[in-house]
Amino acid sequence: MGDEVQNRGSRRTRVESWFKLTVLPPIGAAAIRALGRSMRIETRGQEHVDRLYGEGKRIIIAFWHARQLMMPLTYRGTCAHILISQHQDGEIIARIVERFGFRAVRGSSTRGGVEALRQLIRLGRSGVDLVVTPDGPKGPPQVAKMGVVQLARASRLPIVPLAFGCSKKNSSRAGTALWCRIPSHAASSCGDRLFGSHQRLMRRSWKQNALNWKRS
């Protein structure tokens, strides 16, 4: 009886894993695209990124972990590798973003982070864009960790802060933010490149951008 219950539990686990990794990614990608079609997306500050691309440079795109849902629709480059954790939830996210042309580099501060950082550095030096969430899945939210600074130093790529948000109001503040009005209007924007080696400076800059966005 005990073996039967154990086997039944094992089959249930396999089915749940199959569902999460096989069924959820296409559904998630379709949901993001459907949300995108319900908005009119407006980009602000993209000229700074276009200037970098025009100079033949690549960038590190950095956005807060809580704002990742619509990020696949905001990228305007040609090739980007995004840092995603090695946990199963990370695998689901990786399979979703791959449907938008992103390539995943697996690792986090708690698992596989050192090797992932090395891989990102190699990729950045080879001429591709990198995408990271500087506050990470563990938080604290909207507090940048030093990993993104170390990555920028080693890869010699500028950091471009990015955000996304939605509002029914016909208003926004200029700055590093992506925003949208639902259902008739949507908007997005990128800020100027951000260099810096001082963690407090980065925290202050990105926190201020977040506050500006919340007020808009």
Side-chain angles (χ1 to χ4, degrees):
M1 186 67 177
D3 291 341
E4 183 180 350
V5 172
Q6 185 176 359
N7 291 336
R8 197 175 299 166
S10 179
R11 284 196 298 271
R12 186 183 300 112
T13 300
R14 289 197 298 269
V15 170
E16 289 177 354
S17 180
W18 172 85
F19 179 82
K20 289 179 179 179
L21 299 180
T22 306
V23 178
L24 285 185
I27 293 176
I32 292 172
R33 290 191 174 99
L35 284 172
R37 287 193 293 270
S38 72
M39 307 170 184
R40 182 165 66 86
I41 298 178
E42 176 184 334
T43 302
R44 299 192 176 187
Q46 183 66 31
E47 64 274 9
H48 304 297
V49 178
D50 290 341
R51 185 178 69 250
L52 291 170
Y53 284 151
E55 296 171 356
K57 297 178 181 179
R58 293 296 175 261
I59 61 177
I60 299 173
I61 300 171
F63 56 84
W64 300 130
H65 187 265
R67 295 180 182 262
Q68 62 182 308
L69 176 63
M70 301 302 293
M71 289 304 173
L73 300 180
T74 66
Y75 180 62
R76 294 175 59 171
T78 57
C79 182
H81 289 69
I82 180 169
L83 180 64
I84 300 174
S85 72
Q86 294 182 354
H87 300 291
Q88 187 178 67
D89 288 348
E91 180 64 26
I92 297 171
I93 295 172
R95 296 190 182 198
I96 291 174
V97 299
E98 284 172 358
R99 293 174 175 271
F100 293 90
F102 291 92
R103 300 178 185 178
V105 175
R106 307 303 300 278
S108 66
S109 58
T110 58
R111 186 176 176 186
V114 174
E115 180 54 38
L117 180 60
R118 291 172 179 167
Q119 187 176 351
L120 287 172
I121 292 170
R122 290 194 296 268
L123 288 167
R125 291 178 177 178
S126 71
V128 301
D129 293 330
L130 306 178
V131 183
V132 298
T133 52
D135 54 345
K138 298 291 186 180
Q142 297 188 4
V143 176
K145 299 186 175 109
M146 285 301 295
V148 65
V149 177
Q150 295 168 349
L151 178 60
R153 283 175 172 173
S155 64
R156 298 184 291 275
L157 297 180
I159 301 170
V160 175
L162 185 66
F164 186 94
C166 300
S167 174
K168 293 182 180 180
K169 297 179 181 179
N170 187 15
S171 64
S172 71
R173 285 179 179 268
T176 306
L178 294 171
W179 60 281
C180 63
R181 303 183 195 90
I182 298 176
S184 61
H185 194 108
S188 64
S189 72
C190 301
D192 202 350
R193 52 184 174 171
L194 172 66
F195 293 90
S197 59
H198 201 291
Q199 189 177 25
R200 286 183 298 176
L201 176 60
M202 292 182 62
R203 287 178 179 174
R204 190 181 308 117
S205 298
W206 286 344
K207 280 185 176 179
Q208 186 61 49
N209 285 331
L211 290 172
N212 286 343
W213 164 234
K214 288 176 181 176
R215 296 192 191 106
S216 59

Short mmCIF file of all heavy atoms in Angstrom, two decimals, residues 8 21 60 62 78 90 97 104 107 110-111 115 133 157 172 178 182 184 202 214:
data_model
loop_
_atom_site.label_atom_id
_atom_site.label_comp_id
_atom_site.label_asym_id
_atom_site.label_seq_id
_atom_site.Cartn_x
_atom_site.Cartn_y
_atom_site.Cartn_z
N ARG A 8 2.02 6.61 -6.91
CA ARG A 8 0.99 7.54 -7.35
C ARG A 8 1.47 8.99 -7.18
O ARG A 8 1.26 9.84 -8.06
CB ARG A 8 -0.28 7.30 -6.53
CG ARG A 8 -1.54 7.90 -7.15
CD ARG A 8 -2.76 7.50 -6.34
NE ARG A 8 -2.93 6.04 -6.31
CZ ARG A 8 -3.73 5.42 -5.47
NH1 ARG A 8 -4.42 6.11 -4.58
NH2 ARG A 8 -3.86 4.10 -5.51
N LEU A 21 6.44 22.66 -17.54
CA LEU A 21 7.53 22.91 -18.47
C LEU A 21 7.12 22.80 -19.93
O LEU A 21 7.82 23.31 -20.81
CB LEU A 21 8.68 21.93 -18.20
CG LEU A 21 9.30 22.02 -16.80
CD1 LEU A 21 10.42 21.00 -16.65
CD2 LEU A 21 9.84 23.43 -16.54
N ILE A 60 23.91 46.49 -21.27
CA ILE A 60 23.33 45.66 -20.22
C ILE A 60 21.99 46.28 -19.85
O ILE A 60 21.94 47.40 -19.34
CB ILE A 60 24.23 45.59 -18.97
CG1 ILE A 60 25.59 44.97 -19.32
CG2 ILE A 60 23.54 44.79 -17.87
CD1 ILE A 60 26.58 45.03 -18.17
N ALA A 62 18.91 46.50 -17.48
CA ALA A 62 18.65 46.17 -16.07
C ALA A 62 17.27 46.66 -15.69
O ALA A 62 16.94 47.83 -15.88
CB ALA A 62 19.71 46.80 -15.17
N THR A 78 19.05 43.03 -31.38
CA THR A 78 19.07 41.87 -32.27
C THR A 78 19.38 40.56 -31.56
O THR A 78 18.97 39.50 -32.02
CB THR A 78 20.10 42.08 -33.39
OG1 THR A 78 21.39 42.31 -32.80
CG2 THR A 78 19.72 43.26 -34.27
N GLY A 90 12.39 29.31 -12.77
CA GLY A 90 13.30 29.93 -13.73
C GLY A 90 13.28 29.21 -15.06
O GLY A 90 13.38 29.85 -16.12
N VAL A 97 10.66 33.17 -22.46
CA VAL A 97 11.40 34.24 -23.14
C VAL A 97 12.11 33.73 -24.39
O VAL A 97 12.36 34.50 -25.32
CB VAL A 97 12.40 34.91 -22.18
CG1 VAL A 97 11.68 35.55 -21.01
CG2 VAL A 97 13.47 33.93 -21.68
N ALA A 104 18.79 32.13 -22.65
CA ALA A 104 18.92 32.14 -21.20
C ALA A 104 20.31 31.73 -20.75
O ALA A 104 20.92 30.83 -21.31
CB ALA A 104 17.88 31.21 -20.58
N GLY A 107 21.52 30.87 -13.66
CA GLY A 107 22.28 31.08 -12.43
C GLY A 107 21.68 32.19 -11.59
O GLY A 107 20.90 33.01 -12.09
N THR A 110 22.27 32.45 -5.34
CA THR A 110 22.26 31.30 -4.45
C THR A 110 22.65 30.00 -5.15
O THR A 110 22.93 29.01 -4.48
CB THR A 110 20.87 31.11 -3.82
OG1 THR A 110 19.90 30.96 -4.86
CG2 THR A 110 20.50 32.30 -2.95
N ARG A 111 22.68 30.01 -6.47
CA ARG A 111 22.95 28.77 -7.19
C ARG A 111 23.51 29.06 -8.58
O ARG A 111 22.85 29.65 -9.41
CB ARG A 111 21.66 27.95 -7.31
CG ARG A 111 21.84 26.57 -7.90
CD ARG A 111 20.49 25.85 -7.87
NE ARG A 111 20.56 24.55 -8.49
CZ ARG A 111 19.51 23.76 -8.71
NH1 ARG A 111 18.31 24.15 -8.31
NH2 ARG A 111 19.65 22.60 -9.30
N GLU A 115 29.55 30.95 -12.15
CA GLU A 115 29.72 30.50 -13.53
C GLU A 115 28.83 31.29 -14.48
O GLU A 115 29.23 31.61 -15.61
CB GLU A 115 29.40 29.01 -13.64
CG GLU A 115 29.54 28.45 -15.04
CD GLU A 115 30.91 28.74 -15.67
OE1 GLU A 115 31.92 28.69 -14.94
OE2 GLU A 115 30.95 29.02 -16.88
N THR A 133 18.25 41.31 -13.75
CA THR A 133 17.42 41.97 -12.74
C THR A 133 18.32 42.23 -11.54
O THR A 133 18.63 41.30 -10.79
CB THR A 133 16.22 41.09 -12.34
OG1 THR A 133 16.70 39.79 -11.97
CG2 THR A 133 15.27 40.93 -13.51
N LEU A 157 30.50 47.07 -20.73
CA LEU A 157 29.25 47.49 -21.35
C LEU A 157 28.52 48.48 -20.45
O LEU A 157 28.57 48.36 -19.23
CB LEU A 157 28.34 46.27 -21.59
CG LEU A 157 28.83 45.20 -22.55
CD1 LEU A 157 27.80 44.08 -22.67
CD2 LEU A 157 29.14 45.78 -23.91
N SER A 172 2.44 60.82 -17.65
CA SER A 172 3.65 60.09 -17.26
C SER A 172 4.72 61.11 -16.95
O SER A 172 4.62 62.27 -17.33
CB SER A 172 4.13 59.16 -18.37
OG SER A 172 4.66 59.92 -19.44
N LEU A 178 9.13 52.35 -18.66
CA LEU A 178 8.26 51.85 -19.71
C LEU A 178 6.87 51.86 -19.12
O LEU A 178 6.64 51.32 -18.05
CB LEU A 178 8.64 50.42 -20.09
CG LEU A 178 10.02 50.29 -20.74
CD1 LEU A 178 10.38 48.83 -20.87
CD2 LEU A 178 10.02 50.94 -22.09
N ILE A 182 -4.10 51.26 -20.54
CA ILE A 182 -4.98 50.19 -20.96
C ILE A 182 -6.42 50.70 -20.94
O ILE A 182 -6.80 51.41 -20.02
CB ILE A 182 -4.85 48.97 -20.03
CG1 ILE A 182 -3.42 48.43 -20.09
CG2 ILE A 182 -5.81 47.87 -20.39
CD1 ILE A 182 -3.18 47.31 -19.12
N SER A 184 -6.68 51.42 -24.37
CA SER A 184 -6.49 52.06 -25.67
C SER A 184 -5.08 52.53 -25.92
O SER A 184 -4.72 52.82 -27.05
CB SER A 184 -7.44 53.26 -25.78
OG SER A 184 -7.15 54.20 -24.76
N MET A 202 23.79 53.86 -7.34
CA MET A 202 22.86 53.10 -8.14
C MET A 202 21.52 52.93 -7.44
O MET A 202 20.46 53.07 -8.02
CB MET A 202 23.44 51.72 -8.47
CG MET A 202 24.63 51.76 -9.39
SD MET A 202 25.21 50.10 -9.75
CE MET A 202 23.78 49.43 -10.57
N LYS A 214 5.97 55.70 -9.76
CA LYS A 214 4.81 55.48 -8.90
C LYS A 214 3.95 56.74 -8.81
O LYS A 214 2.74 56.66 -8.65
CB LYS A 214 5.26 55.04 -7.50
CG LYS A 214 5.80 53.62 -7.47
CD LYS A 214 6.32 53.27 -6.08
CE LYS A 214 6.88 51.86 -6.04
NZ LYS A 214 7.47 51.52 -4.74
#
